[in-house]
Structure formats: C-alpha cells, structure tokens
Amino acid sequence: MTTDQLYDPKLETMPWDDVQKMTFEAAREQLERVYARSPFYRRRFDEAGVTPSDVRQPEDLVRIPLMDKEQERQSQDDDPPFGEHLCADRDDVVRIYASSGTTGRPTFFALTQRDLDNQTTVMARVFHTAGIRKSDTMG
C-alpha cells in the first residue's frame, strides 16, 4: 500500500496495540470530561456507582451507563434546548443539528468548533478510503 492511498499514514500504519491504547485513553479523557461538565452524566454515573477513575482497562467500559432516546428527550425537556447532557459551554456552540424525529420529537445536537473539525477529519478519511480525492467532483 502506498502512502497516497492513506489519509493519515502515521495513524493508519500505527501498530494495532498502539491504536487500542490511544483509543482507550481518549475514551477515559471523554469520561472525565462528561463527568465533570454534565449534570446528566454525573448523575447517571453516580446512580450506577461508577466514576471515570474506576475505568482502568477497556473491560471496565461496560460499567458506564448509556443514554437512550427517551432520556435524551427528557434531558432536553429539563434543560432546553440542548439538555443537561451538554458538555460544552453554550457560548462555544457553533452549529446545531436536529434529528429527524421519525420515532418521536426531534432532538438537538450542539457542536463546538472542535466537534466540527473532528467531523470534517472523519468524513475526509471516509471519502479518502472510498477513493475520493480533493481533485474529484461529484454531480
């Protein structure tokens, strides 16, 4: 495989063990962030009897409570428009998306510039993997 086939050669040729370690560390940082910044997630973690520091290895991730769509809607009802699960300062929100609402009321997604930058990188990687390059046009 040549490097022009890769979007990010350093990341995409990294040994799998290193990828797993990097991914797990990013997940731990995210858990710390949501616990510190979101009343919704802090309450959910506390109810489950778990803190981010309890997650020491990937197998511990099963202890983290997830959010379902009804909980998301309730969170947004309790603290409109984004909900108590928002982990960013509202002043840092630069774009808002909404779900289609096909299974009930639409829900809102607030994104920061960092979120948008990450989304752009992920989509660029997807398109690159599909063989699409900057010089290509689509109609």
Side-chain angles (χ1 to χ4, degrees):
M1 181 170 290
T2 63
T3 56
D4 67 320
Q5 293 174 293
L6 303 174
Y7 180 77
D8 182 347
K10 181 180 178 189
L11 176 66
E12 295 170 34
T13 60
M14 185 181 291
W16 186 242
D17 284 347
D18 294 346
V19 171
Q20 289 179 306
K21 288 175 191 170
M22 180 181 67
T23 302
F24 179 66
E25 186 53 38
R28 282 188 33 80
E29 289 172 10
Q30 179 77 350
L31 295 174
E32 294 282 350
R33 187 169 33 260
V34 301
Y35 189 82
R37 299 193 58 124
S38 165
F40 174 86
Y41 284 113
R42 190 175 317 106
R43 187 171 50 255
R44 296 276 291 141
F45 281 42
D46 290 348
E47 289 169 355
V50 63
T51 65
S53 61
D54 293 330
V55 179
R56 295 183 186 95
Q57 56 192 6
E59 294 77 18
D60 296 332
L61 289 168
V62 298
R63 298 182 58 202
I64 301 301
L66 302 177
M67 175 173 62
D68 64 28
K69 198 65 167 183
E70 268 315 303
Q71 291 167 329
E72 181 181 20
R73 286 189 182 105
Q74 187 61 52
S75 175
Q76 291 186 348
D77 287 346
D78 293 344
D79 187 21
F82 305 121
E84 288 186 314
H85 56 277
L86 181 68
C87 297
D89 293 330
R90 288 181 187 218
D91 289 345
D92 292 335
V93 173
V94 298
R95 181 163 300 164
I96 302 166
Y97 292 129
S99 69
S100 64
T102 54
T103 61
R105 280 188 337 271
T107 55
F108 300 101
F109 304 90
L111 284 80
T112 65
Q113 187 60 54
R114 182 178 177 190
D115 296 329
L116 287 175
D117 293 345
N118 287 338
Q119 181 184 43
T120 299
T121 300
V122 167
M123 293 312 300
R125 185 175 289 122
V126 166
F127 289 136
H128 193 91
T129 301
I132 300 168
R133 300 297 182 263
K134 288 180 180 182
S135 60
D136 294 332
T137 56
M138 299 173 66

